[in-house]
Amino acid sequence: MNSAAVLEDFSETVPPELHAKYERLKSVIEAFKSVLVAFSGGVDSTLVAKVALDVLTPQNVLAAVAVSSSLGDEEERFALELLREIGAPYITIGTSEVEDPRYAANPINRCYFCKEHVYGALVSAARDRGLDIVLDGFNAEDTMDFRPGRKAGRELGVRSPLHEAGFRKDDVRVLARHLGLSNWDKPQMACLSSRVEYGIQITPSILKQVDRAETALRELGFPDLRVRHHDKLARVEIERAMLPRALAQRDEIIEAVKAVGYSDVTIDPEGLRHGSMNEGLKNLG
C-alpha cells in the first residue's frame, strides 16, 4: 500500500484525536531542518525516525544506535535491520557508560549517568555533522515511570516529539501499524542494566550473563520477559498470559538460566512488570 493510501486508510479508521496528534507530531519535527534520531529499535524511536524521514526527507535525517555492553546482541542486530528496512541513514556510536564508576555503582539514578554519556555522544555527533537537534522516543506515558535519564536529555537539549505531541504508548502502536512499521507490536525493551538490582555493581560480564539468559528463554518460546539479576539469583518475569506454560516448562527454564551461571532461579508469580526494579521509585522523578 502506498503512502497516500496508508494515510487515507488511517484517517478513516482511527479516532480524530489520534489524527490530530499525528499532525502535531509532524509539526514538531518539521520545525527542524535536520535531525539525529536516538534509535533503539523500539516502536517509539522507530515512529520518530519514520515520521522524520517522511517530513524532512532522508537527506536531512540520521539515526544513531548507541552500542555498549548494556545493549543486547539481538537488540543491536534488530535495530540495524529495522533501519535498513525503513530506509534511514544511520551510524553506530560506541558509548562507555559502563566504565563510568558512577554508573557502574548502580545507584537508583544510574540511568542519569547512562543518558549523560549516550545523549552527550549523540549531541556531539549531530553537531559534527551540522544537524540541528537530537530527537528521542520518550512518550507521554513514560512520565509515569521513574526516568532519571530524562533529566540528562533535557539538560543536553534533546527533544521528545512524541511527548510534545501527547502520544501515549497505544497511540504510538496504532500509528506505527498504519504507517506499515513491522515492529508496531514489538514487546517493550530496556537496557540490560535495568535488570540488575540497584546497588549490585554493574560489569560487562553481568550484562552478558543476563543477555544470554534472556536469549535462551526466548528460544524456548517466551518472547516478552525479563531476567532480573539478584547476584546469584535470577528472578524470571514472564508475561502473565504465558505463566501457565512457563510453569509447565519450569525445569527447562531453570536449566537454561542455570546454564549461564546462576545458582538459583525463580519464576515470579506476578509475571512481567516493565520497570519492576523501579517499583516504589516512581514518585522520585
Side-chain angles (χ1 to χ4, degrees):
M1 186 180 292
N2 61 40
S3 297
V6 167
L7 294 180
E8 181 179 356
D9 176 66
F10 173 77
S11 64
E12 293 176 352
T13 58
V14 301
E17 303 83 37
L18 180 53
H19 194 276
K21 289 180 182 181
Y22 177 43
E23 293 302 319
R24 288 200 296 273
L25 176 62
K26 290 192 292 184
S27 295
V28 171
I29 296 176
E30 282 176 332
F32 307 108
K33 293 181 180 179
S34 57
V35 300
L36 184 147
V37 179
F39 193 83
S40 67
V43 64
D44 301 302
S45 61
T46 305
L47 180 59
V48 172
K50 168 61 176 170
V51 176
L53 290 168
D54 288 345
V55 302
L56 298 177
T57 75
Q59 291 73 27
N60 297 304
V61 177
L62 182 66
V65 179
V67 178
S68 74
S69 301
S70 64
L71 178 66
D73 291 341
E74 286 186 355
E75 285 299 297
E76 180 181 351
R77 286 194 296 270
F78 182 85
L80 298 182
E81 289 171 2
L82 191 57
L83 286 168
R84 290 189 285 268
E85 178 183 314
I86 66 174
Y90 69 85
I91 58 173
T92 60
I93 297 178
T95 58
S96 55
E97 65 273 9
V98 179
E99 299 171 16
D100 184 337
R102 300 172 303 166
Y103 176 95
N106 199 15
I108 62 171
N109 63 337
R110 177 200 66 240
C111 192
Y112 175 86
F113 303 120
C114 173
K115 295 304 185 185
E116 189 179 55
H117 280 270
V118 171
Y119 284 141
L122 299 188
V123 168
S124 293
R127 185 184 305 117
D128 292 345
R129 291 162 174 80
L131 301 172
D132 282 354
I133 200 76
V134 173
L135 306 180
D136 69 10
F138 185 87
N139 67 63
E141 197 166 333
D142 289 332
T143 58
M144 299 171 65
D145 196 2
F146 178 60
R147 298 286 181 121
R150 173 69 177 153
K151 180 174 184 287
R154 290 196 300 265
E155 290 173 352
L156 289 165
V158 175
R159 294 283 292 271
S160 304
L162 294 175
H163 180 263
E164 294 177 33
F167 273 75
R168 296 176 65 83
K169 194 69 174 188
D170 286 347
D171 298 326
V172 171
R173 292 196 186 280
V174 171
L175 180 56
R177 183 178 185 183
H178 279 272
L179 294 182
L181 300 181
S182 63
N183 66 338
W184 68 270
D185 61 346
K186 183 179 185 289
Q188 182 177 332
M189 294 299 291
C191 80
L192 292 172
S193 296
S194 68
R195 318 307 201 256
V196 183
E197 182 181 5
Y198 289 122
I200 294 177
Q201 186 87 3
I202 290 176
T203 66
S205 62
I206 284 177
L207 299 179
K208 178 60 69 175
Q209 183 181 24
V210 171
D211 191 29
R212 289 173 60 202
E214 292 191 347
T215 298
L217 297 188
R218 282 192 290 270
E219 290 174 354
L220 288 178
F222 300 99
D224 198 6
L225 76 144
R226 297 288 187 272
V227 173
R228 305 297 186 186
H229 180 99
H230 302 270
D231 197 16
K232 299 298 183 181
L233 168 68
R235 179 169 54 85
V236 178
E237 295 181 8
I238 291 173
E239 57 182 320
R240 293 184 184 183
M242 299 194 75
L243 274 176
R245 178 181 166 186
L247 294 175
Q249 294 181 244
R250 179 177 179 276
D251 291 345
E252 291 179 79
I253 289 173
I254 291 174
E255 180 181 1
V257 176
K258 282 190 172 183
V260 304
Y262 288 100
S263 301
D264 300 292
V265 181
T266 183
I267 299 174
D268 193 319
E270 292 189 63
L272 175 61
R273 287 105 62 214
H274 294 292
S276 69
M277 290 298 199
N278 292 335
E279 290 171 353
L281 302 177
K282 294 180 182 180
N283 293 326
L284 297 181

